[in-house]
């Protein structure tokens, strides 16, 4: 690099790398850089925050709790675990147009789908249609692996076993008559789940594949009869099943049940009175859980969530405050001496 | 014949065995028989069968044993065991958290990386073993009756091997025969100890006189020797001949494996030790393992991590138990029964969960930290190796890191212990001046010549032109005699002095001979002395012709000629000719002296050995084990001891005066003596010897040949004289002298020439009887010589005294008898020989003394100055005498003329105790008052422009209430070896340390190697500081080994120090860059990396911990297990390695220009214990942010577990990388690349992983998750805000700190940013006028500006050993001390402040906890003032007492603490002697005067 003298055997290489002289950028945390930096970041954040907040404000959300703990609740009767096949009806009204497409969720609280041993309790091979796993499910499904008669359970495991089985029907009360709001049950699960991850065994009819197996203990119907209305929505590729199998991250969660995209309701739910008919099956009182139904529309950033917007606003302002503080301190202690 | 001889040999062997049974002591020996005797016998009968063969195997593993053995070794590391335990835990179904196979991955990865590294190293060892084992050597085969070629590995103990010139020895061989006429064999031991001079080895005595070639078939002796050991310098044993005679074996008979045969055409020997039992192999103990301070600290924090881990697990377990408990019997739908279908009790599940959590949180213990540290250290070592500035062109050597794992210790040193000779000085001895018979010959021309070299040194460093024609010629022409400069043609330029290129060339040319730079060789003689020598020798020549006894020579002239003869022959210098560097000049010279009688002629020409048999009757009584069967076996002819005796017998017969000439040997070297004297080259074992021989040659008294029994000297007019060398009593460090016993060819007297340290020789001088005039003259000579010696020492010259002694024949016979007994003794031979030497070296006649200059190495004063500025305490431990050491210390700025010197010389334990006590009192009395001002001043003045210390003052604030900070005064301590021995006693060591640590520099003279190591150990253990020992010679080895970091100088004194060291430097001055730059960098890089590692792991693990609150403490993780496991191993691994390797907090230039920045490492400022916790807190904060921002952002949504967890992982990765970015000080393209690579790697892996297998990776099954996330705008929004929020506090803190109260290092960094020009200006300005208000910035926060009051409080010194003084105490004392002083004190304080603005920092800017010597604080009491009074009384007392002073020249102000020699007196005094030395050209600094005056007034007032 500098001088090429005659080489001697053990002379070190004179390169920028070996001599640790690689050109380098040395960021200096001096006030001159930091303060404008903070201001810029603050401004940008406030900008984003405002956008997010506005977006979030435009989203409408409606939550209806139907656990039935309170005596006044229409579902109070159904919350008794001894009552079977209970149906309760929940009335509500929408003051102005609930802009579509409206997403219909069911929500559970205090429900630990992320419980470790619960999450493990499934057999991916079985769910991808592997017939061998039908007859001998994986150990991970234990104790929901075989029933008391030692017949294999399909789909095995705790996750499948505990599948949410309340069903909902939404009616608009138009002039005293109930007009059913059509639900779109297609495409509520991940596309990859439906098309790649979960597979039914290639046996037709499907029910033959399930010969010699039993349905999960808590299920009213076997897997191949989950949706009588749509044969393609049965077995492991039932949309509701797929949604359930995607375990929620937190104990309070909601899961997409249906979308309201069709007919008169494609533009949203018009103002008016509505009635929700709930087939109340799922027991939640044993773990102090709550059940609810959520109606929401979505924006580009997903469902209603004001947090992010606020966070951006707060952090943006904080940056600006910090830059001001630094400026004051800096001005007080530095500037007089730099002259 | 061999058959015949076998039987007696066998019986002998059995006898030996029987003997061995009788004497259990002899079990420590090995018996070696010749193998050829047992060629026909089966393996079992060979008595040598138990000994190791010569095949070496340094590999650790075989193909089969590799896996188990390597694993076993790796599991010695606790961390590995831990991780394997965790991985195995995963296989237990109840507690498993991850897929068991996956959990094994990191462990397997780490283990296999290490295993592959080990395998590779082992393979390399195997390859080199193979190579060595398959080298050829000549082994005697009985079947073929000749030497046949065999592989080294086939060699066995007891084989005869023939060695040819330049062959490498395959094993340790006993030399039985040599083609050399003198029965010598020369070997080069460079590979063993690095010494380049040739060593002579002698054929075993019994085989000494063989005329014919050695015939292995006739050999039937048995060798008994020591068991294999690793002492290169020791070999003892004896050879038992068939006749039953025993001959002793010495190390001179043993040729060691690895050495090279030189100068000897052929040699034959028998293998004694082979293979792994050779001394070379036993010495070969691989690299050393030391644990650095940083690593020790790190291990503590790893331990804390374990605690944190357990606490977190426990917390989770309890939480889980409660969570389970709350459900009671109501079993929720998501509950999972145990495999048996029964419900688990909360307690049981809590216990299981505890184990699960350990698995989940395992990352908290940084598995990859250990591996990463190793990688980073290897890179650091690589960079240190590669540094151009640590490369010495002349020797073509660069720094070697021999210990790979303590690089960062280099940045934390606090004490440096340095050897002097060869370390600070060049160890190039140059004859400077001498005194003979009481007359001083100042050698002015020589002084000018040396000065010229010095000048050229500095000149040519600046101008880069070819320096070959620079004015050295002037120095030559200025000489009066044209022929005096004997310059070797081959080395036109000189090594250390020419321009770089010249020097390089010269070094290549003169590489073969050590100690032969022209500077050392070209001595300019003193004209007066030269005349005298000429005069004297011509007179002697005249006298010889006229057969006058030489005793008529005037005694001063006789002394002169004796002096030079002594210089020439009293050494072990070997002569060689430069044209064939390794060819020893080997010839005997015919004397010019006429042969007087034909009888002498005949006798002389008949080898005396052959006649010895006839007249040994008179001496047979002296030698008991002597052989009587001379006639029957020429093989076992007389040993040289006998011949010596024979000669003694001859002496008893009257003989002529002039008979001194030697027999012409049978193998007269045919080439003849046609070489010019100037071309002779001297190979010496020590540079002193060479210097003296060259000096004598300048006076034309040159050594021309050396044989074991004869030295040939050429004298002017007299020609070549051969001195019969009767004995050489080698140099040893206890005697500190060497002697030769010769028969003087002119006087025919047996003469002893002794050369040694003045302190010992002067004691051995025969006390002159004061009666005669001769005696008076003698006394005068002794006195004057002593004066000159002092003078030399004051000049920093190494002094040697030369003395002689003439033995009468009776005396000699008497001494010889006992000496021979000692020589042949088998037990305690060394001790006996030592005593024998002591008996001989008495009643000497002083001839003169020499002063040898040992020049300082380049840049030593600057290096010392900058190391000291860096806050390092430098102690010099030397074996030199006190005066020399002190003066060298002045020369290299270790001692400052302005500072006072405490000299401790005591004769007894009690005296030493008193001296130390007094010194302590003195220090207290003197510095009690001024210290605070000084401290204040140093805070202000040290580096005011950039407040290097103003920011470190808070730390002394904080520590002042825990322990008194300890200040270093402007004091130097000089202590001699004897006093040191007392001071190192258990009872005194604390006091000694208390004194020594308050002195700025400490100089231990006359210290033995053991004392050196004891001092280092003492300081290291008692003061709990990091110590570095640097030295170049074997005497420094123990000190180097004891210190935290041992540095060896690969200089001229062999490799022993280097072998023992952790780092080997070519020059002392490289220490500066090694410590200040590389040490600093290594430390700060590693410290930051370790902290970062802790942070990173904690931050990542805490994410999962927070999640436990939302999953019922069930050990569930939202982060996919793949990410969890590979996060540390892959995604975040590279940037930190790059930063840990390349980051430079401050540039090398600034670090060297501002040595104060080194304090950073000394105080461990990059990694203090609290920083671990700060980092942990920050980690927890950051993880909270990274957890809860996504938590709230995804609250009330239908997000699933891993779609939510993956952004968290990503955010954590971003945060961690940006965090590293904040901590990275220099961004090279590699940093950018590594960070980009990390991010790219994460996304690539994630995308591939999430696309690879739809049904695998249970339970997370993350198919298409990442792909979906990338389409989600929320993900990007999170990626922007979360890292920012997480890092805002740290960034804000750093920004504030960087601008508002920067640490010294940050100031240095800011300096780096300035344009080069400005920076140079600022730095030069700050050096010239430190303390000037150059800076626009006074200390930023006025809080930290130490007001005097504050300083007084915080600047308390502890007086260990007496009491711990806390704030109030000191204040009292100070006031009481101040009141009588009045204005004087303040005046001085002011003068200090203004005039003594520190060129050095007196107060160490760091505070060290004083050793806990005594308990709590004393209340301010009268006791203290009493104590002070006592001190002052003592001071008063000192005024009245008289004291001797050593002639310290340049020092203007010294304090002498001395005891009366009897030592029992309680009257210990010290006095202030402000003397002007003999050369008082040194002007007293005005400030010094003020201080002096102030002090004197102090005394007078009291």
């Amino acid at each position: 690099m500098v001088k090429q003298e005659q080489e001697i055997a053990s002379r070190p290489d004179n390169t920028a790398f070996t001599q640790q002289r690689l050109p380098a950028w040395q960021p200096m945390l001096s006030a001159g850089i930091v303060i404008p930096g903070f201001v810029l970041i603050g401004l940008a954040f406030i900008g984003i925050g405002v956008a997010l907040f506005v977006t979030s404000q435009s989203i409408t959300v409606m939550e209806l709790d139907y656990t039935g703990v309170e005596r006044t609740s229409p579902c109070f009767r159904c919350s008794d675990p001894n009552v079977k096949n209970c149906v309760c009806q929940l009335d509500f009204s929408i003051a102005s147009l609930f802009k579509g497409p409206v997403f219909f969720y069911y929500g559970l609280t205090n429900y630990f789908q992320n419980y470790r041993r619960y999450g493990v309790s499934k057999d991916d091979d079985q769910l991808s249609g592997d017939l061998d796993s039908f007859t001998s499910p994986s150990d991970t499904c234990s104790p929901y692996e075989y029933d008391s008669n030692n017949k294999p359970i399909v789909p095995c495991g705790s996750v499948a076993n505990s599948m949410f089985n309340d069903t909902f029907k939404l009616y608009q009360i138009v002039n005293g008559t109930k007009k059913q709001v059509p639900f779109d049950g297609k495409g509520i699960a991940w596309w990859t789940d439906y098309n790649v991850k979960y597979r039914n065994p290639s046996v037709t009819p499907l029910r033959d594949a399930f010969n010699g197996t039993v349905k999960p203990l808590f299920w009213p119907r076997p897997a191949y009869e989950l949706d009588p209305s749509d044969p393609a929505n049965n077995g492991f590729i039932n949309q509701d099943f797929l949604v359930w199998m995607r375990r929620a991250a937190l104990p309070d969660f909601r899961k997409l049940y249906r979308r309201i995209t069709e007919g008169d309701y494609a533009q949203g739910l018009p103002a008016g009175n509505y009635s929700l008919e709930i087939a109340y099956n799922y027991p939640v009182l044993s773990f102090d859980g709550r059940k609810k139904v959520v109606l929401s529309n979505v924006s580009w950033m997903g469902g209603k969530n004001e947090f992010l917007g606020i966070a951006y606003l707060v952090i943006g302002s904080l940056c600006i405050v910090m830059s001001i503080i630094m400026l004051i301190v800096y001005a007080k202690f530095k500037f007089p001496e730099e002259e | 014949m061999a058959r015949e001889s076998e039987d007696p040999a066998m019986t002998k062997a059995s006898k030996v065995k029987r003997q061995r049974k009788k004497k259990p002591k002899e079990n420590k020996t090995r018996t070696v028989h010749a193998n050829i005797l047992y060629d026909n016998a089966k393996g079992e009968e060979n008595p040598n069968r138990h000994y190791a063969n010569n095949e070496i195997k340094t590999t650790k593993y075989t193909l089969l044993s590799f896996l188990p053995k390597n694993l076993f070794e790796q599991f010695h590391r606790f961390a590995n065991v831990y991780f394997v335990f965790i991985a195995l835990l995963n296989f237990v179904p109840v507690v498993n958290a991850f897929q068991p196979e996956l959990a094994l991955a990191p462990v397997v990865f780490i283990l296999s990386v290490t295993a592959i590294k080990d395998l590779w190293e082992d393979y390399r060892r195997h390859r080199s073993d193979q190579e060595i084992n398959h080298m050829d050597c000549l082994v005697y085969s009985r079947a073929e009756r000749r030497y046949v070629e065999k592989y080294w590995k086939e060699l066995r103990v007891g084989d005869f091997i023939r060695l040819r010139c330049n062959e490498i020895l395959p094993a340790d061989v006993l030399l039985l025969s040599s083609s050399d006429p003198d029965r010598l064999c020369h070997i080069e031991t460079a590979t063993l100890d690095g010494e380049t001079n040739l060593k002579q080895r002698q054929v075993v005595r019994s085989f000494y006189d063989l005329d014919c070639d050695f015939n292995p078939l006739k050999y039937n002796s048995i060798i008994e020797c020591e068991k294999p050991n690793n002492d290169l310098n020791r070999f003892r044993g004896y050879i038992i001949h068939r006749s039953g005679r025993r001959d002793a074996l010495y190390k001179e008979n043993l040729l060691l494996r690895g050495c090279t045969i030189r100068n000897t055409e052929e040699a034959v020997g028998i293998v004694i030790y082979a293979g792994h039992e050779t001394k070379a192999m036993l010495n070969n103990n691989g690299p050393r393992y030391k644990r650095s301070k940083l690593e020790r600290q790190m291990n503590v924090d790893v331990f804390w991590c374990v605690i944190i881990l357990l606490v977190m697990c426990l917390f989770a377990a309890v939480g889980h138990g409660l969570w389970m408990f709350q459900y009671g019997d109501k079993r929720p739908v998501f509950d999972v029964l145990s495999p048996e279908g029964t419900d688990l009790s909360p307690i049981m599940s809590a216990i299981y969960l505890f184990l699960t959590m350990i698995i989940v949180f395992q990352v908290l213990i940084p598995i990859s930290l250990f591996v990463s540290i190793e990688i980073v250290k290897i890179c650091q070592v690589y960079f240190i190796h590669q540094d151009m500035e640590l490369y010495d062109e002349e020797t073509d050597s660069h720094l070697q890191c021999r210990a790979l794992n303590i690089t960062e210790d280099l940045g934390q040193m606090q004490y440096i212990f340095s050897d002097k000779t060869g370390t600070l000085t060049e160890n190039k001895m140059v004859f400077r001046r001498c005194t003979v018979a009481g007359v001083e010959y100042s050698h002015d021309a020589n002084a000018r010549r040396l000065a010229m070299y010095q000048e050229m040194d500095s000149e040519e460093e600046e101008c880069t032109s070819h320096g070959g024609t620079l004015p050295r010629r002037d120095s030559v022409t200025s000489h009066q005699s044209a022929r005096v400069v004997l310059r070797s043609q081959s080395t036109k330029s000189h090594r250390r002095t020419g321009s770089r290129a010249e020097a390089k060339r010269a070094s290549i040319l003169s590489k073969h001979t050590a100690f032969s730079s022209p500077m050392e060789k070209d001595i300019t003689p003193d004209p007066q002395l030269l005349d005298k020598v000429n005069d004297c020798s011509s007179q002697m020549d005249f006298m010889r012709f006229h057969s006058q006894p030489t005793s008529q020579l005037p005694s001063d002239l006789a002394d002169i000629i004796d002096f030079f003869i002594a210089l020439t022959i009293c050494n072990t210098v070997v002569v060689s000719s430069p044209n064939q560097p390794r060819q020893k000049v080997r010839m005997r010279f015919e004397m010019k002296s006429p042969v007087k009688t034909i009888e002498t002629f005949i006798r002389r020409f008949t080898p005396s050995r052959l006649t010895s048999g006839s007249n040994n009757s008179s001496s047979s009584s002296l030698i008991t084990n002597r052989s009587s069967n001379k006639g029957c076996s020429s093989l076992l002819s007389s040993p040289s001891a006998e011949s010596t005796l024979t000669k003694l017998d001859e002496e008893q017969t009257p003989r002529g005066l002039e008979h001194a000439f030697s027999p012409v040997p049978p193998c007269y070297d045919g080439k003849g003596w046609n070489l010019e004297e100037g071309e002779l080259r001297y190979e010496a074992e020590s540079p002193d010897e060479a210097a003296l021989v060259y000096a004598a040659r300048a006076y034309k008294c040159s050594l021309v040949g050396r044989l074991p029994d004869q030295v040939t000297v050429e004298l002017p007019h007299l020609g070549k004289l051969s001195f019969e060398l009767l004995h050489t009593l080698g140099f040893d460090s206890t005697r500190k002298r060497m002697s030769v016993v010769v028969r003087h060819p002119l006087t025919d007297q047996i003469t002893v020439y002794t050369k040694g340290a003045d302190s010992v020789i002067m004691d051995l001088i025969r006390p002159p009887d004061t009666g005669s005039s001769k005696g008076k003259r003698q006394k005068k000579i002794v006195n004057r010589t002593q004066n000159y010696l002092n003078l030399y020492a004051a000049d920093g010259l190494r002094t040697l005294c030369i003395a002689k002694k003439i033995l009468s024949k009776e005396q000699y016979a008497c001494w010889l008898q006992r000496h021979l007994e000692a020589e042949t003794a088998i037990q305690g031979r060394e001790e006996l020989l030592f005593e024998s030497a002591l008996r001989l070296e008495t009643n000497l006649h002083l001839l003169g003394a020499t002063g040898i200059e040992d020049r300082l190495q380049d840049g030593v004063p600057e290096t010392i100055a900058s190391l000291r500025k860096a806050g390092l305490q430098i102690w010099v431990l030397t074996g030199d005498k006190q005066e020399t050491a002190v003066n060298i210390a002045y020369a290299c700025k270790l001692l400052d003329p302005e500072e006072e010197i405490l000299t401790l010389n005591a004769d007894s334990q009690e005296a030493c105790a008193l001296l130390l006590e007094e010194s302590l009192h003195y220090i207290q009395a003197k510095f009690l008052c001024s210290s605070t001002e000084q401290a204040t001043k140093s805070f202000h003045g040290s580096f005011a422009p950039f407040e290097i210390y103003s920011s470190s003052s808070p730390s002394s604030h904080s520590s002042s209430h825990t322990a008194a900070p300890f200040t270093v005064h402007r004091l130097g301590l000089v202590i001699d070896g004897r006093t040191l021995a007392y001071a190192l006693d258990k009872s005194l060591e604390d006091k000694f340390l208390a004194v020594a640590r308050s002195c700025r520099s400490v100089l231990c003279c006359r210290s033995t190697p053991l004392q050196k190591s004891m001092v280092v150990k003492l300081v290291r253990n008692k003061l709990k500081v990091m110590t570095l020992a640097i030295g170049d010679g074997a005497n420094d080895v123990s000190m180097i080994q004891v210190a935290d970091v041992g540095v060896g100088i690969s200089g001229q004194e062999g490799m022993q120090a280097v072998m023992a060291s952790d780092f080997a430097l070519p020059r002392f001055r490289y220490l500066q860059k090694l410590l200040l730059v590389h040490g600093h960098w290594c430390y700060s890089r590693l410290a930051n990396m370790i902290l970062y590692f802790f942070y990173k792991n904690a931050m990542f693990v805490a994410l999962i911990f927070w999640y436990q609150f939302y999953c019922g403490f069930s050990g569930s993780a939202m982060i996919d297990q793949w990410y969890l496991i590979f996060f540390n191993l892959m995604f975040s691994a590279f940037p930190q390695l790059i930063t840990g390797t390349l980051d430079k907090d401050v540039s090398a230039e600034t670090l060297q220009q501002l040595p104060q920045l080194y304090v950073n490492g000394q105080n461990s400022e990059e990694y203090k214990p609290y920083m671990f916790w700060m980092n942990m807190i920050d980690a927890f904060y950051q993880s909270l942010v990274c957890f809860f921002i996504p938590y709230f952002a995804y609250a009330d949504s239908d997000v699933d577990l891993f779609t939510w967890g993956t952004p968290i992982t990503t955010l954590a990765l971003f945060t961690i990388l940006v965090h590293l970015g904040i901590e990275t000080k220099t961004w090279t393209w590699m940093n950018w690349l590594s960070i980009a690579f990390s991010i790219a790697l994460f996304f690539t892996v994630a995308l591939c992983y999430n696309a690879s297998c739809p049904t695998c990776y249970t339970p997370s099954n993350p198919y298409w998750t990442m792909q979906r996330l990338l389409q989600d705008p929320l993900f990007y929004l999170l990626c922007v805000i979360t890292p920012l929020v997480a890092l805002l506090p740290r960034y804000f803190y750093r920004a504030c700190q960087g601008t508002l109260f920067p640490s010294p290092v940050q100031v240095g960094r800011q300096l780096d940013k300035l344009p080069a020009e400005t920076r140079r200006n600022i730095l030069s300005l700050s050096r010239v006028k430190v303390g000037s208000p150059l800076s626009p910035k006074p200390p930023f926060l006025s809080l930290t500006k130490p007001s005097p009051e504050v300083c007084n409080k915080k600047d308390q010194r502890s007086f260990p050993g007496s009491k711990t003084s806390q704030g109030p105490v000191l204040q009292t004392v100070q006031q009481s001390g101040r009141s009588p002083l009045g204005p004087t004190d303040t005046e001085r304080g002011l003068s200090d402040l203004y005039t003594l603005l520190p060129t050095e920092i007196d107060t160490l800017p760091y505070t060290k906890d004083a050793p806990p010597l005594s308990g709590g604080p004393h209340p301010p009491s009268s006791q203290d003032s009493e104590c002070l009074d006592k001190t002052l009384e003592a001071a008063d007392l000192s005024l009245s007492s008289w004291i001797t002073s050593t002639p310290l020249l340049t020092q203007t102000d010294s304090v002498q603490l001395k005891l009366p020699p009897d030592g029992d007196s309680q009257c210990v005094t010290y006095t202030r002697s402000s003397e002007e030395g003999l050369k008082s050209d040194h002007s007293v600094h005005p400030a010094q005067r003020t201080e002096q005056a102030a002090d004197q007034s102090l005394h007078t007032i009291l």
Side-chain angles (χ1 to χ4, degrees), chain B residues 613-688:
Chain B
S614 58
N615 53 0
N616 60 8
S617 54
S618 62
S619 56
S620 61
S621 58
L622 302 179
I623 304 165
T624 49
N625 61 345
R626 139 176 215 194
S627 84
S628 52
N629 52 353
K630 191 124 312 169
C632 58
S633 163
S634 68
L635 191 84
L636 301 171
S637 68
S638 64
S640 65
E642 266 176 56
S643 61
T644 326
L645 267 190
T646 320
K647 286 173 201 159
L648 180 69
D649 295 343
E650 281 170 34
E651 294 303 327
Q652 288 157 356
T653 65
R655 48 198 305 192
L657 186 71
E658 309 285 324
H659 67 99
F661 76 74
S662 321
V664 176
C667 62
Y668 181 78
D669 205 297
K671 277 176 269 177
W673 176 241
N674 53 2
L675 303 163
E676 290 209 8
E677 50 181 338
E679 288 178 71
L680 287 177
R681 204 165 255 193
Y682 299 130
E683 300 204 23
E685 276 171 24
S686 88
D688 301 77

Side-chain angles (χ1 to χ4, degrees), chain B residues 533-598:
Chain B
V533 173
N534 273 329
D535 188 24
C536 165
S537 47
S538 64
Q539 276 195 39
M540 282 177 81
D541 196 31
F542 176 82
M543 279 188 281
R544 189 170 62 180
F545 266 112
H546 297 85
S547 309
Q548 289 170 343
T550 40
S551 55
Q552 287 178 5
L553 208 64
S555 63
D556 59 330
L557 288 187
D559 276 355
I560 287 175
I561 206 81
D562 268 331
F563 178 76
F564 282 107
I565 287 171
L567 288 191
T568 317
I569 64 175
C570 186
N571 51 43
T572 54
V573 172
V574 178
V575 185
S576 69
S577 117
N579 296 340
Q580 299 124 306
R582 284 307 183 202
Q583 290 297 312
K584 193 188 73 165
V585 176
R586 176 199 305 142
M587 59 199 61
R588 296 173 187 244
F589 302 103
E590 249 182 292
M591 308 315 303
K592 287 176 190 166
S593 55
V595 179
K596 282 284 163 177
T597 61
I598 194 76

Side-chain angles (χ1 to χ4, degrees), chain B residues 16 59 147 180 203 302 322 390 458 464 513 517 572 655 706 748 764 767 811 909 986 1082 1150 1245 1264 1296 1331 1445 1495:
Chain B
V16 169
T59 54
Y147 292 94
D180 187 288
V203 169
V302 168
L322 292 175
L390 299 183
S458 49
T464 46
T513 331
S517 77
T572 54
R655 48 198 305 192
R706 172 178 291 275
D748 201 33
L764 296 173
Q811 284 170 325
Q909 186 80 34
K986 274 269 174 289
C1082 289
T1150 312
V1245 167
W1264 225 247
C1296 287
S1445 62
D1495 260 32

